[in-house]
Amino acid sequence: MADSVVLDPVDLHLLRLLQNDARTTYRDLAAQVGVAPSTCLDRVTRLRRSGVILGHQLRLDPAKLGRGLQALLSVQVRPHRRELVQPFVERIRALPESRTVFHLTGPDDYLVHVAVADMADLQRLVLDEFTARREVARVETRLIFQQWDCGPLLPPGVQT
């Protein structure tokens, strides 16, 4: 596990603001945090270099892209061995329907968040891309009715 980074109140404030809107300019960030723009730039650069900030992502509405049905697929791989795990993960990550892949403990080995066009597309995906693989022992599908984003991710004990 990676070592945590010591963050002061200014760093935490910057992280809160950037998680709400990663497009905020350094000038606006600096004004909201109460530091000079150059200080703000230095701090955000340090947060990137230290690995606290991993990148910036553009969020899209899957329904507007013709992928209005989302599901979570619980996948059991047997045998669960390294030589099967890596190719399986690479293949699943390469599928355009895959949004996120989690490697788990417990009875299921993976949880895969997918976005598809409709039920027929979901059935095709499960049958052709998951259960057709020899190492996949079981797939359990759960439809997602609704999804909510939560607050900013901060270190334990820090209030939002």
Side-chain angles (χ1 to χ4, degrees), residues 7 11-16 19 151-160:
L7 303 170
D11 294 329
L12 293 170
H13 196 176
L14 286 169
L15 292 173
R16 276 189 202 98
Q19 285 182 78
L153 179 63
L154 298 171
V158 174
Q159 300 298 315
T160 56

Side-chain angles (χ1 to χ4, degrees), residues 45-76:
T45 300
R46 182 179 51 79
L47 291 167
R48 280 194 189 105
R49 285 193 184 131
S50 65
V52 172
I53 297 175
L54 298 176
H56 305 279
Q57 295 181 343
L58 181 66
R59 291 180 40 205
L60 303 174
D61 182 341
K64 298 231 187 319
L65 297 174
R67 296 183 181 276
L69 181 65
Q70 295 185 67
L72 296 173
L73 307 179
S74 299
V75 182
Q76 192 176 72

Side-chain angles (χ1 to χ4, degrees), residues 102-121:
F102 298 95
H103 192 188
L104 309 171
T105 63
D108 296 317
D109 300 310
Y110 297 94
L111 184 64
V112 185
H113 176 197
V114 298
V116 295
D118 52 30
M119 287 298 277
D121 196 25

Side-chain angles (χ1 to χ4, degrees), residues 4-127:
S4 30
V5 175
V6 176
L7 303 170
D8 67 17
V10 172
D11 294 329
L12 293 170
H13 196 176
L14 286 169
L15 292 173
R16 276 189 202 98
L17 294 169
L18 287 170
Q19 285 182 78
N20 287 331
D21 184 359
R23 297 178 305 155
T24 305
T25 66
Y26 289 116
R27 175 175 284 137
D28 289 343
L29 283 172
Q32 291 180 62
V33 174
V35 297
S38 60
T39 300
C40 181
L41 174 62
D42 290 343
R43 286 191 175 246
V44 171
T45 300
R46 182 179 51 79
L47 291 167
R48 280 194 189 105
R49 285 193 184 131
S50 65
V52 172
I53 297 175
L54 298 176
H56 305 279
Q57 295 181 343
L58 181 66
R59 291 180 40 205
L60 303 174
D61 182 341
K64 298 231 187 319
L65 297 174
R67 296 183 181 276
L69 181 65
Q70 295 185 67
L72 296 173
L73 307 179
S74 299
V75 182
Q76 192 176 72
V77 173
R78 291 293 175 262
H80 193 165
R81 292 194 316 247
R82 186 173 299 279
E83 62 269 14
L84 295 176
V85 165
Q86 193 59 39
F88 173 79
V89 170
E90 287 173 9
R91 175 63 187 142
I92 299 311
R93 289 186 66 211
L95 295 172
E97 298 88 354
S98 295
R99 307 309 316 132
T100 310
V101 180
F102 298 95
H103 192 188
L104 309 171
T105 63
D108 296 317
D109 300 310
Y110 297 94
L111 184 64
V112 185
H113 176 197
V114 298
V116 295
D118 52 30
M119 287 298 277
D121 196 25
L122 179 60
Q123 182 182 26
R124 178 208 50 81
L125 178 69
V126 170
L127 294 176

